[in-house]
mmCIF file of all heavy atoms in Angstrom:
data_model
loop_
_atom_site.group_PDB
_atom_site.id
_atom_site.type_symbol
_atom_site.label_atom_id
_atom_site.label_comp_id
_atom_site.label_asym_id
_atom_site.label_seq_id
_atom_site.Cartn_x
_atom_site.Cartn_y
_atom_site.Cartn_z
ATOM 1 N N THR A 1 7.836 32.486 5.216
ATOM 2 C CA THR A 1 6.453 32.079 5.338
ATOM 3 C C THR A 1 6.107 31.012 4.387
ATOM 4 O O THR A 1 4.946 30.319 4.402
ATOM 5 C CB THR A 1 5.460 33.133 5.387
ATOM 6 O OG1 THR A 1 5.486 33.853 4.131
ATOM 7 C CG2 THR A 1 5.729 34.175 6.465
ATOM 8 N N SER A 2 6.848 30.894 3.215
ATOM 9 C CA SER A 2 6.424 30.080 2.047
ATOM 10 C C SER A 2 7.757 29.530 1.452
ATOM 11 O O SER A 2 8.850 30.152 1.637
ATOM 12 C CB SER A 2 5.572 30.710 1.073
ATOM 13 O OG SER A 2 6.170 31.843 0.457
ATOM 14 N N ILE A 3 7.567 28.423 0.751
ATOM 15 C CA ILE A 3 8.744 27.778 0.056
ATOM 16 C C ILE A 3 8.294 27.501 -1.360
ATOM 17 O O ILE A 3 7.194 27.036 -1.681
ATOM 18 C CB ILE A 3 9.011 26.414 0.816
ATOM 19 C CG1 ILE A 3 9.611 26.737 2.085
ATOM 20 C CG2 ILE A 3 9.998 25.612 -0.080
ATOM 21 C CD1 ILE A 3 9.717 25.454 3.004
ATOM 22 N N PHE A 4 9.150 27.790 -2.336
ATOM 23 C CA PHE A 4 8.962 27.572 -3.738
ATOM 24 C C PHE A 4 9.753 26.383 -4.210
ATOM 25 O O PHE A 4 10.842 26.104 -3.661
ATOM 26 C CB PHE A 4 9.479 28.853 -4.539
ATOM 27 C CG PHE A 4 8.605 30.075 -4.422
ATOM 28 C CD1 PHE A 4 8.784 30.805 -3.243
ATOM 29 C CD2 PHE A 4 7.712 30.408 -5.371
ATOM 30 C CE1 PHE A 4 8.041 32.029 -3.044
ATOM 31 C CE2 PHE A 4 6.964 31.628 -5.250
ATOM 32 C CZ PHE A 4 7.105 32.379 -4.023
ATOM 33 N N ALA A 5 9.203 25.556 -5.051
ATOM 34 C CA ALA A 5 9.851 24.325 -5.469
ATOM 35 C C ALA A 5 9.261 23.946 -6.922
ATOM 36 O O ALA A 5 8.198 24.350 -7.217
ATOM 37 C CB ALA A 5 9.613 23.222 -4.514
ATOM 38 N N THR A 6 10.159 23.275 -7.623
ATOM 39 C CA THR A 6 9.679 22.660 -8.852
ATOM 40 C C THR A 6 9.056 21.354 -8.712
ATOM 41 O O THR A 6 9.574 20.541 -7.999
ATOM 42 C CB THR A 6 10.814 22.516 -9.876
ATOM 43 O OG1 THR A 6 11.372 23.873 -10.227
ATOM 44 C CG2 THR A 6 10.469 21.810 -11.163
ATOM 45 N N VAL A 7 7.893 21.194 -9.247
ATOM 46 C CA VAL A 7 7.150 19.929 -9.112
ATOM 47 C C VAL A 7 6.924 19.303 -10.622
ATOM 48 O O VAL A 7 6.454 20.012 -11.436
ATOM 49 C CB VAL A 7 5.740 20.078 -8.467
ATOM 50 C CG1 VAL A 7 4.978 18.744 -8.486
ATOM 51 C CG2 VAL A 7 5.838 20.688 -7.120
ATOM 52 N N ILE A 8 7.514 18.113 -10.735
ATOM 53 C CA ILE A 8 7.310 17.453 -12.027
ATOM 54 C C ILE A 8 6.329 16.336 -12.038
ATOM 55 O O ILE A 8 6.461 15.463 -11.084
ATOM 56 C CB ILE A 8 8.727 16.798 -12.453
ATOM 57 C CG1 ILE A 8 9.814 17.914 -12.620
ATOM 58 C CG2 ILE A 8 8.591 16.185 -13.806
ATOM 59 C CD1 ILE A 8 11.153 17.438 -12.967
ATOM 60 N N THR A 9 5.354 16.438 -12.860
ATOM 61 C CA THR A 9 4.279 15.353 -12.827
ATOM 62 C C THR A 9 4.377 14.622 -14.122
ATOM 63 O O THR A 9 4.735 15.213 -15.216
ATOM 64 C CB THR A 9 2.827 16.029 -12.708
ATOM 65 O OG1 THR A 9 2.737 17.060 -13.681
ATOM 66 C CG2 THR A 9 2.771 16.714 -11.365
ATOM 67 N N SER A 10 3.921 13.456 -14.131
ATOM 68 C CA SER A 10 3.918 12.528 -15.282
ATOM 69 C C SER A 10 2.530 11.891 -15.568
ATOM 70 O O SER A 10 1.805 11.571 -14.526
ATOM 71 C CB SER A 10 5.012 11.520 -15.131
ATOM 72 O OG SER A 10 6.305 12.076 -15.041
ATOM 73 N N ALA A 11 2.246 11.674 -16.863
ATOM 74 C CA ALA A 11 1.004 11.048 -17.185
ATOM 75 C C ALA A 11 1.385 10.181 -18.384
ATOM 76 O O ALA A 11 1.610 10.658 -19.484
ATOM 77 C CB ALA A 11 -0.095 11.975 -17.543
ATOM 78 N N GLY A 12 1.500 8.876 -18.273
ATOM 79 C CA GLY A 12 1.937 8.036 -19.367
ATOM 80 C C GLY A 12 3.367 8.350 -19.578
ATOM 81 O O GLY A 12 4.290 8.399 -18.761
ATOM 82 N N PHE A 13 3.678 8.579 -20.868
ATOM 83 C CA PHE A 13 5.034 9.013 -21.341
ATOM 84 C C PHE A 13 5.220 10.480 -21.311
ATOM 85 O O PHE A 13 6.306 11.009 -21.864
ATOM 86 C CB PHE A 13 5.329 8.340 -22.708
ATOM 87 C CG PHE A 13 5.333 6.938 -22.692
ATOM 88 C CD1 PHE A 13 4.198 6.184 -23.182
ATOM 89 C CD2 PHE A 13 6.411 6.202 -22.305
ATOM 90 C CE1 PHE A 13 4.302 4.797 -23.176
ATOM 91 C CE2 PHE A 13 6.436 4.772 -22.288
ATOM 92 C CZ PHE A 13 5.299 3.983 -22.727
ATOM 93 N N SER A 14 4.348 11.238 -20.839
ATOM 94 C CA SER A 14 4.361 12.769 -20.957
ATOM 95 C C SER A 14 4.701 13.279 -19.449
ATOM 96 O O SER A 14 4.175 12.678 -18.457
ATOM 97 C CB SER A 14 3.052 13.377 -21.372
ATOM 98 O OG SER A 14 3.100 14.703 -21.399
ATOM 99 N N SER A 15 5.516 14.310 -19.517
ATOM 100 C CA SER A 15 5.868 14.830 -18.091
ATOM 101 C C SER A 15 5.986 16.396 -18.362
ATOM 102 O O SER A 15 6.301 16.858 -19.482
ATOM 103 C CB SER A 15 7.097 14.315 -17.537
ATOM 104 O OG SER A 15 8.192 14.467 -18.378
ATOM 105 N N GLN A 16 5.779 17.122 -17.241
ATOM 106 C CA GLN A 16 6.049 18.546 -17.310
ATOM 107 C C GLN A 16 6.437 19.026 -15.882
ATOM 108 O O GLN A 16 6.101 18.539 -14.914
ATOM 109 C CB GLN A 16 4.805 19.288 -17.819
ATOM 110 C CG GLN A 16 3.484 19.194 -16.948
ATOM 111 C CD GLN A 16 2.425 20.107 -17.381
ATOM 112 O OE1 GLN A 16 2.455 20.759 -18.345
ATOM 113 N NE2 GLN A 16 1.355 19.951 -16.670
ATOM 114 N N ALA A 17 7.172 20.179 -15.958
ATOM 115 C CA ALA A 17 7.647 20.806 -14.738
ATOM 116 C C ALA A 17 6.794 22.139 -14.546
ATOM 117 O O ALA A 17 6.541 22.882 -15.384
ATOM 118 C CB ALA A 17 9.089 21.208 -14.753
ATOM 119 N N GLU A 18 6.536 22.421 -13.238
ATOM 120 C CA GLU A 18 5.783 23.648 -12.788
ATOM 121 C C GLU A 18 6.458 24.131 -11.507
ATOM 122 O O GLU A 18 7.034 23.386 -10.717
ATOM 123 C CB GLU A 18 4.322 23.372 -12.586
ATOM 124 C CG GLU A 18 3.577 22.789 -13.870
ATOM 125 C CD GLU A 18 2.115 22.530 -13.491
ATOM 126 O OE1 GLU A 18 1.819 22.236 -12.247
ATOM 127 O OE2 GLU A 18 1.299 22.704 -14.379
ATOM 128 N N LEU A 19 6.346 25.431 -11.283
ATOM 129 C CA LEU A 19 6.819 26.072 -10.030
ATOM 130 C C LEU A 19 5.640 26.243 -9.209
ATOM 131 O O LEU A 19 4.628 26.854 -9.585
ATOM 132 C CB LEU A 19 7.540 27.365 -10.294
ATOM 133 C CG LEU A 19 9.048 27.338 -10.654
ATOM 134 C CD1 LEU A 19 9.597 28.761 -10.916
ATOM 135 C CD2 LEU A 19 9.754 26.744 -9.554
ATOM 136 N N TRP A 20 5.746 25.777 -7.968
ATOM 137 C CA TRP A 20 4.711 25.929 -6.957
ATOM 138 C C TRP A 20 5.234 26.578 -5.740
ATOM 139 O O TRP A 20 6.416 26.620 -5.413
ATOM 140 C CB TRP A 20 4.253 24.479 -6.502
ATOM 141 C CG TRP A 20 3.273 23.889 -7.534
ATOM 142 C CD1 TRP A 20 3.562 23.473 -8.836
ATOM 143 C CD2 TRP A 20 1.931 23.604 -7.363
ATOM 144 N NE1 TRP A 20 2.539 22.941 -9.407
ATOM 145 C CE2 TRP A 20 1.445 22.975 -8.546
ATOM 146 C CE3 TRP A 20 0.986 23.851 -6.232
ATOM 147 C CZ2 TRP A 20 0.100 22.553 -8.732
ATOM 148 C CZ3 TRP A 20 -0.297 23.353 -6.475
ATOM 149 C CH2 TRP A 20 -0.741 22.823 -7.646
ATOM 150 N N ARG A 21 4.223 27.262 -5.078
ATOM 151 C CA ARG A 21 4.527 27.899 -3.765
ATOM 152 C C ARG A 21 3.758 27.183 -2.630
ATOM 153 O O ARG A 21 2.545 26.952 -2.837
ATOM 154 C CB ARG A 21 4.200 29.403 -3.758
ATOM 155 C CG ARG A 21 4.220 30.073 -2.436
ATOM 156 C CD ARG A 21 4.146 31.577 -2.560
ATOM 157 N NE ARG A 21 3.053 32.024 -3.477
ATOM 158 C CZ ARG A 21 2.952 33.237 -3.997
ATOM 159 N NH1 ARG A 21 3.934 34.112 -3.881
ATOM 160 N NH2 ARG A 21 1.953 33.466 -4.706
ATOM 161 N N PHE A 22 4.448 26.883 -1.520
ATOM 162 C CA PHE A 22 3.760 26.057 -0.425
ATOM 163 C C PHE A 22 3.881 26.856 0.797
ATOM 164 O O PHE A 22 4.929 27.404 1.150
ATOM 165 C CB PHE A 22 4.435 24.675 -0.295
ATOM 166 C CG PHE A 22 4.304 23.779 -1.456
ATOM 167 C CD1 PHE A 22 5.360 23.697 -2.422
ATOM 168 C CD2 PHE A 22 3.174 23.039 -1.655
ATOM 169 C CE1 PHE A 22 5.307 22.910 -3.538
ATOM 170 C CE2 PHE A 22 3.082 22.227 -2.816
ATOM 171 C CZ PHE A 22 4.050 22.222 -3.707
ATOM 172 N N ASP A 23 2.722 26.977 1.423
ATOM 173 C CA ASP A 23 2.683 27.666 2.761
ATOM 174 C C ASP A 23 3.291 26.865 3.831
ATOM 175 O O ASP A 23 2.941 25.600 4.063
ATOM 176 C CB ASP A 23 1.141 27.997 3.096
ATOM 177 C CG ASP A 23 1.040 28.789 4.342
ATOM 178 O OD1 ASP A 23 1.340 29.942 4.380
ATOM 179 O OD2 ASP A 23 0.586 28.127 5.398
ATOM 180 N N VAL A 24 4.248 27.450 4.567
ATOM 181 C CA VAL A 24 5.000 26.848 5.613
ATOM 182 C C VAL A 24 4.107 26.352 6.784
ATOM 183 O O VAL A 24 4.224 25.238 7.376
ATOM 184 C CB VAL A 24 6.179 27.724 6.105
ATOM 185 C CG1 VAL A 24 6.798 27.030 7.399
ATOM 186 C CG2 VAL A 24 7.219 27.794 5.039
ATOM 187 N N ALA A 25 3.131 27.116 7.147
ATOM 188 C CA ALA A 25 2.163 26.848 8.260
ATOM 189 C C ALA A 25 1.242 25.767 7.938
ATOM 190 O O ALA A 25 1.063 24.772 8.758
ATOM 191 C CB ALA A 25 1.436 28.110 8.631
ATOM 192 N N SER A 26 0.641 25.698 6.749
ATOM 193 C CA SER A 26 -0.404 24.791 6.326
ATOM 194 C C SER A 26 -0.020 23.734 5.395
ATOM 195 O O SER A 26 -0.593 22.613 5.392
ATOM 196 C CB SER A 26 -1.633 25.582 5.864
ATOM 197 O OG SER A 26 -1.351 26.082 4.543
ATOM 198 N N GLY A 27 1.001 23.878 4.573
ATOM 199 C CA GLY A 27 1.438 23.043 3.642
ATOM 200 C C GLY A 27 0.616 23.140 2.305
ATOM 201 O O GLY A 27 0.961 22.377 1.298
ATOM 202 N N GLY A 28 -0.321 24.025 2.261
ATOM 203 C CA GLY A 28 -1.072 24.296 1.129
ATOM 204 C C GLY A 28 -0.291 24.852 0.034
ATOM 205 O O GLY A 28 0.617 25.588 0.244
ATOM 206 N N GLY A 29 -0.610 24.444 -1.268
ATOM 207 C CA GLY A 29 0.219 24.848 -2.358
ATOM 208 C C GLY A 29 -0.602 25.510 -3.504
ATOM 209 O O GLY A 29 -1.727 25.254 -3.611
ATOM 210 N N GLU A 30 0.123 26.385 -4.303
ATOM 211 C CA GLU A 30 -0.502 27.047 -5.447
ATOM 212 C C GLU A 30 0.566 27.140 -6.559
ATOM 213 O O GLU A 30 1.751 27.300 -6.293
ATOM 214 C CB GLU A 30 -1.091 28.337 -5.148
ATOM 215 C CG GLU A 30 0.055 29.328 -4.692
ATOM 216 C CD GLU A 30 -0.523 30.785 -4.547
ATOM 217 O OE1 GLU A 30 -1.529 31.091 -5.102
ATOM 218 O OE2 GLU A 30 0.141 31.539 -3.777
ATOM 219 N N ARG A 31 0.097 26.894 -7.731
ATOM 220 C CA ARG A 31 0.975 26.990 -8.931
ATOM 221 C C ARG A 31 1.365 28.392 -9.167
ATOM 222 O O ARG A 31 0.364 29.228 -9.283
ATOM 223 C CB ARG A 31 0.369 26.261 -10.156
ATOM 224 C CG ARG A 31 1.271 26.147 -11.326
ATOM 225 C CD ARG A 31 0.697 25.476 -12.481
ATOM 226 N NE ARG A 31 -0.469 26.257 -12.988
ATOM 227 C CZ ARG A 31 -1.128 25.784 -13.994
ATOM 228 N NH1 ARG A 31 -1.020 24.546 -14.414
ATOM 229 N NH2 ARG A 31 -2.241 26.477 -14.435
ATOM 230 N N VAL A 32 2.548 28.657 -9.346
ATOM 231 C CA VAL A 32 3.086 30.071 -9.679
ATOM 232 C C VAL A 32 3.444 30.188 -11.157
ATOM 233 O O VAL A 32 3.070 31.173 -11.812
ATOM 234 C CB VAL A 32 4.243 30.429 -8.829
ATOM 235 C CG1 VAL A 32 4.754 31.798 -9.117
ATOM 236 C CG2 VAL A 32 3.869 30.355 -7.337
#
């Protein structure tokens, strides 16, 4: 029912990785 993935975001020269969970039915996500 859901998919977990690493999402890397960047702002300027800074970046960070986070683990998110996405709902398969709606595509909505939440940080885990």
